[in-house]
Amino acid sequence: DGGITQSPKYLFRKEGQNVTLSCEQNLNHDAMYWYRQDPGQGLRLIYYSQIVNDFQKGDIAEGYSVSREKKESFPLTVTSAQKNPTAFYLCASKGPGSRYTDTQYFGPGTRLTVL
Amino acid sequence: DAKTTQPPSMDCAEGRAANLPCNHSTISGNEYVYWYRQIHSQGPQYIIHGLKNNETNEMASLIITEDRKSSTLILPHATLRDTAVYYCIALNYNQGGKLIFGQGTELSVKP
């Protein structure tokens, strides 16, 4: 089946540890995105990548890092510098098409809890 | 960035049409209106999008006013599985297509 997968669904880490969240897509999409969602809030953009080996900071990039070595994969590392990392993390991808009509499709999300 | 405003919550009876309003008075001419929904603890699901004309697909209809300052998402026959938070978004392509999510409308479909 084509789609976006995120693993794991739930993740627990101790404070001060770096942790990497996985995002894979087999939709042949060029652009990929990472969002963060806090309880009762909308999504906020962390990082995005429009092509392989290129990515840009979103609104809340501090304390996070990404890589885009392959088209299918866009892992997000939550570093110890992120002051409040406990949140629901969502990955999305977007395919080629008209600049104004592309649609982002989301993965199921990873819920990270830092103890 | 065009900001959108939506009512925080709405109720709808099962089998009836659910009409979800959205105001986007500062939307620019090349910004599309997108609708997503999010069921608790899941990733957002794309519903529909439009620019000027009304749009319909298998999930919903989107009615955009002529001045583009507001729109309405219509779920023609709401079911209990349509209970979710619905987000109205103006797509910003100045930052690579960033979706600006607001608070959304929490729709409760009741039997």
Side-chain angles (χ1 to χ4, degrees):
Chain A
D1 285 353
I4 304 170
T5 57
Q6 292 184 245
S7 60
K9 188 171 177 62
Y10 299 97
L11 189 56
F12 297 88
R13 279 293 182 269
K14 292 182 179 179
E15 194 172 346
Q17 290 182 332
N18 291 357
V19 60
T20 297
L21 281 59
S22 167
C23 178
E24 304 277 333
Q25 54 97 2
N26 61 4
L27 301 167
N28 199 32
H29 284 175
D30 290 314
M32 297 185 74
Y33 303 79
W34 273 106
Y35 293 87
R36 169 187 171 134
Q37 187 174 35
D38 293 287
Q41 304 295 315
L43 281 67
R44 293 182 290 167
L45 183 66
I46 305 173
Y47 268 98
Y48 65 100
S49 167
Q50 293 184 290
I51 57 171
V52 175
N53 292 322
D54 185 55
F55 48 84
Q56 286 79 41
K57 293 181 179 180
D59 297 323
I60 55 166
E62 185 175 352
Y64 299 98
S65 66
V66 293
S67 64
R68 187 82 188 280
E69 297 177 1
K70 298 187 300 181
K71 189 175 187 177
E72 303 80 16
S73 178
F74 190 39
L76 173 74
T77 297
V78 184
T79 74
S80 56
Q82 168 51 232
K83 290 181 171 44
N84 187 18
T86 295
F88 189 42
Y89 290 87
L90 288 154
C91 179
S93 70
K94 182 181 68 158
S98 159
R99 178 174 185 236
Y100 299 109
T101 61
D102 295 354
T103 297
Q104 290 184 32
Y105 295 94
F106 285 82
T110 291
R111 189 167 298 279
L112 173 64
T113 301
V114 176
L115 307 170
Chain B
D1 300 345
K3 295 200 184 306
T4 62
T5 56
Q6 301 174 252
S9 63
M10 291 181 63
D11 289 341
C12 178
E14 188 178 19
R16 303 296 294 269
N19 298 297
L20 291 88
C22 178
N23 287 320
H24 33 77
S25 58
T26 61
I27 196 170
S28 65
N30 62 357
E31 286 182 311
Y32 278 68
V33 177
Y34 273 73
W35 282 83
Y36 283 79
R37 72 181 182 185
Q38 187 176 26
I39 297 168
H40 183 62
S41 293
Q42 297 183 22
Q45 177 188 23
Y46 165 77
I47 302 173
I48 197 168
H49 72 277
L51 182 64
K52 295 180 182 178
N53 300 320
N54 298 338
E55 301 288 344
T56 295
N57 63 19
E58 64 277 5
M59 289 183 69
S61 295
L62 175 61
I63 308 298
I64 302 174
T65 58
E66 193 169 343
D67 62 8
R68 300 213 329 123
K69 292 186 177 181
S70 66
S71 60
T72 301
L73 178 75
I74 301 172
L75 308 178
H77 306 288
T79 70
L80 299 179
R81 286 179 293 182
D82 291 322
T83 293
V85 178
Y86 287 76
Y87 293 99
C88 168
I89 300 160
L91 186 56
N92 176 1
Y93 272 98
N94 291 330
Q95 287 195 357
K98 177 178 73 171
L99 294 172
I100 303 172
F101 283 78
Q103 299 291 323
T105 295
E106 186 167 6
L107 175 69
S108 296
V109 180
K110 300 182 184 301

